[in-house]
Amino acid sequence: MSSLSRELVFLILQFLDEEKHKETVHRLEKESGFFFNMRYFEDCVTNGEWEEVESYLSGFTKVDDNRYSMKIFFEIRKQKYLEALDKRDLAKAVEILSKDLKVFSTFNEDLFKEITLLLTLRDFRENEQLSKYGDTKSARAIMLVELKKLIEANPLFRDKLQFPTLKNSRLRTLINQSLNWQHQLCKNPKPNPEIKTLFVDHSCGQPNGAIPPSPVTHPLIGSMPKIGGFPPIAAHGPFQPGPAPLTASLAGWMTNPSSVPHQAAPVGPMGMAPPNNAVSLVKRPRTPPNNPTLDYQTADSEHVLKRPRPFGISEEMHILSAYGSDDIPKTVVANLNQGSAIKSMDFHPVQLTLLVVGTNIGDIALWEVSTRERLVSRNFKVWDLASCTTALQASLANEYTASVNRVMWSPDGSLCGVAYSKHIVHIYSYYGGNDFKNHLEIDAHIGNVSDLAFSHPNKQLALITCGEDKTIKVWDAATGSKLYTFEGHEAPVYSVCPHYKENIQFIFSTSIDGKIKAWLYDPLGSRVDYDAPGRSCTTMAYSANGTRLFSCGTSKDGESYLVEWNESEGAVKRSYQGLGKRSVGVVQFDTTKNRFLAAGDEFVVKIWDMNDTSLLTTVDAEGGLSASPCVRFNKEGILLAASTIENGVKILANAEGVRIIRAIESRIVDPSRLASGSVARAHMIPTYGSSSSNAGPGIGIADRSAPLSTIVALNGDVQSLPDVKPRISDEMEKLKIWKLAEINEPSQLHSLRLPDSLLAVRIIRLIYTNSGSAILSLAYNAVHKLWKWQRNERNLTGKATTAVPPQLWQPSSGILMTNDISETNLEEAVPCFALSKNDSYVMSASGGKISLFNMMTFKTMTTFMSPPPAATVLAFHPEDNNVIAIGMEDSTIQIYNVRVDEVKSKLKGHQKRVTGLAFSNILRVLVSSGADAQICVWSTDGWEKKVSKYLQIPSGRALNPLAQTRVQFHQDQSHILVVHETLIAVYEASKLDCINQWVPRESSSAITDATYSCDSQLIYASFEDGTICVLTAAALKLRCRISSAAYLPPNPSSRLQTLVIAAHPSEANQFAVGLSDGGVHVLEPLESEGKWGSAPPDEMGSGYSITPVASGVEQLSR
């Protein structure tokens, strides 16, 4: 159906609603599928009109359309079922179960069985998961909240939840305008025409030949009298006038049809108010001097009236009235002096004030815009010239320079890609601060590399590039291997835009001849072929929610086009006005959130509301912008970077951005933190850290949250602060007088021992749930314990905290999650468990069979793999919860599919029991470690061994044959933490190069466990004597030591040991420890500190060293 036909349906819906034909309205909504009336749906659900609920939904989706639709129908039918059970109407419940819920059994048979078992209960609330079910009314209200979220997330309902903004009685107005035009065409127009039918065109006819009266009345004319014709103009005019003058934009639509719809505004219900006919009738229309009966404002056919169209006010609302000018970044908060012309910029997706910049001479720089500090600077340089193609070597021999065409962060900000004008692409790894390391160099294209982007085809991080050789290429972002090459453009490819919808991954590409093509990740070629407006050199981008596609380009003649696309039709849906006709270079643009578009043009930044084609506003940034400035929003849309004529960048902020920047500035130098009489200046703090652009970010950046009083105290004389700048070298020496943070008293931290009413047995395994709201432990006696934090006034997030004690959770049945230990010697067993990603299941073993438990009911779902050999370590496959890797007592690793109960592969490489397993999605490998102190890397594609190495055990240390070696991936999925009782090390996973190694003193107790913090910036290590050490993850330097006296009560009767440690999944400074007495303690730093110590001065901003290291000793006692 065409867009005009679709709009006609909306007009009819409005008319029917105004005429109170409610049932017909909802039937048309369902049959057309254009508008989902959420208010009507809510009413039906609230009233329990289940047949109508499903009937209405069926006009928009079916049960098996997608996972959102399936969940919607399941929730509705489950509620019907529970209500029948609540009424003790078992016959009805059985009918619903067999007819409505049976369809879901094919997708989740266990769930269907559990629902069926509810029939056997006297009250279904006896089921633990339904224990909080209230009355019917409250249950429906709770379900309705969930349904609305599912509907809003369901792609099938996109663009169907908002009714267009229409003036009252819009259809009546259009018909009256038509009647006016028809009246003008009459050969003998009467001064008081009488309209008797709409079935044929109006004509006043000859005196003896009138139009036969119609048996149908015409309610469209409202309450106007029919007898005696229309009253004279002095009363209210010949025809009912429209409620507002016809606009110029609508006049253009009438004379030159297009598919551009009216602006849509968010509404809950349809919002169709009844027409105010009285108001319409009393308005005095302007009349033309030659015809007192013609409503001049509504007659708008220049072909008929031979007059120019009146100028009208745009019907589309000015966005400033909706959002407010404070939402648009306008205030200049920083000027960054790059030194060469800016070609591309990109804000970090996580650290919102971090900006990477590329220039026309091949330089890239990393800026912390809140402090105006350049953290990293790199010049153009080929890393491995010998590996480059002869074409590139020849080009570089002629001229060893190149321009940056594009810089872009990966979605998680761990990688940064740079496309150059000569053949190559560089990918850097980023770990925070100034830790910006070479990762990959790819000789990607012949000639210019125009653009790059990151995507996740097949759940694998990939880099997409395009170039002068007319190709698009896809590369593995971890290894640099080429995955795909797409050919089909007839001109150099200018840009790429990857996206996905409903699990379909695709790429849009544009070429300099104005062609747009789309590709799937297969060898079948381009799927579509569009022309960009004006055959312009174009870039494309999606809105933040991925539902709207925009492009901006400039033709060879300098005319620029900014448009929104209708993807399904391959047609321009909306063209934005206001770009120049003679742009200098290709106009760059960006989108933010789902609200604004920005383009750099004519020395300003031009901004549009996405729903309004007219230019919203321009921002000149106090002058000095480039002719066609490069522009880039940060992720939250509160900052906007724009390039300047003087080879710099101006950072613009909206009200929220200004507040944040000012807050950061005040944290860097806060006079209230200094001793009385001291003076501080903001610019001094960064000078402590570096004097060159390649140095670390200094205290002001890498350790920004440290109180200034601490920094001043290192100097020993607060009065010397004003004089620090002339004596930078002296101050650098004084800063080396750094003191390890020692925590020896309970008052120096927050700790909480979790309440426990069960038998206290030593804790062997410990983990936070992925949600961060619970902690799960496994004790020596094979019993699991689960502590849950509740959301309440004292704990608004419901996450784990030391401020509020959790509940030791048990189902009403009183059962415990207990592993199979029949015929098991617990002294020889190696307990292990693994938690599913959705926290629903835990797989566990304590020397016997492996058990799969339901985390809600504690029921054993299944058991498998009877020993011998016994399982010693478990890990879920990251892409399939049905596949698990199982390390065994006999040194093998079994890849097991739970669903089909089959061992898919058996890996052999260790000499002793396997004690550690970790998967990497990016590298597509499994890393294992064993009691033999060996690390092995296995490909997850074919399960072959790629590389193995033995740990560098410190000399003089005997290798314990039962010592456990554990492994854990850094969040970059490329580096791996290795923990042994004698050392902690970091390896590069693909080749097992040892990057760093930390060895405690021989006199210290053994390391029992260690783990990365959730952001991989810290490592928490536990020792047998209860000591906990906090190390920097980048360089393995000790920054804080916590003695057992700080969190354990004195207990001279027994020697407590800290056996395991776990890090919170979202709070970087929270961790938990499990003890030999069965206790579990959660630890957090004091609010005044905010973190565990500070990094040593020589480690601020440092990263992994690039050369393998030998065993080094870090003194535990200083």
Side-chain angles (χ1 to χ4, degrees), residues 588-609:
Q588 295 195 30
F589 87 117
D590 197 12
T591 70
T592 180
K593 310 287 269 186
N594 303 304
R595 295 168 58 177
F596 299 125
L597 299 167
D601 187 36
E602 298 179 316
F603 301 96
V604 296
V605 179
K606 297 179 178 180
I607 296 178
W608 293 261
D609 164 55

Side-chain angles (χ1 to χ4, degrees), residues 1052-1073:
S1053 62
S1054 65
R1055 180 172 175 267
L1056 286 182
Q1057 292 180 318
T1058 304
L1059 301 179
V1060 284
I1061 193 164
H1064 192 284
S1066 57
E1067 297 292 335
N1069 289 290
Q1070 184 188 128
F1071 61 89
V1073 292

Side-chain angles (χ1 to χ4, degrees), residues 820 845 847-850 863-871 874 884 886 888 894-897 901-904:
D820 167 56
K849 294 179 182 178
I850 300 172
T863 59
F864 54 94
M865 287 224 173
S866 300
L874 301 165
I884 55 173
I886 307 172
M888 310 298 286
Q894 300 194 22
I895 308 301
Y896 178 74
N897 189 306
D901 189 21
E902 180 184 350
V903 175
K904 294 292 186 181

Side-chain angles (χ1 to χ4, degrees), residues 723-780:
D723 303 320
V724 69
K725 196 170 183 179
R727 304 200 313 272
I728 293 177
S729 59
D730 293 339
E731 293 302 332
M732 289 294 291
E733 290 300 316
K734 292 179 180 179
L735 275 175
K736 292 180 180 177
I737 309 172
W738 170 85
K739 188 175 182 181
L740 173 71
E742 297 271 10
I743 298 179
N744 301 308
E745 301 292 335
S747 60
Q748 293 178 277
L749 52 64
H750 291 306
S751 69
L752 173 69
R753 183 178 176 115
L754 305 189
D756 191 354
S757 57
L758 300 177
L759 180 65
V761 181
R762 72 174 180 262
I763 305 298
I764 306 298
R765 292 288 180 264
L766 192 69
I767 192 173
Y768 281 86
T769 58
N770 295 294
S771 66
S773 61
I775 289 178
L776 178 69
S777 72
L778 173 59
Y780 169 78

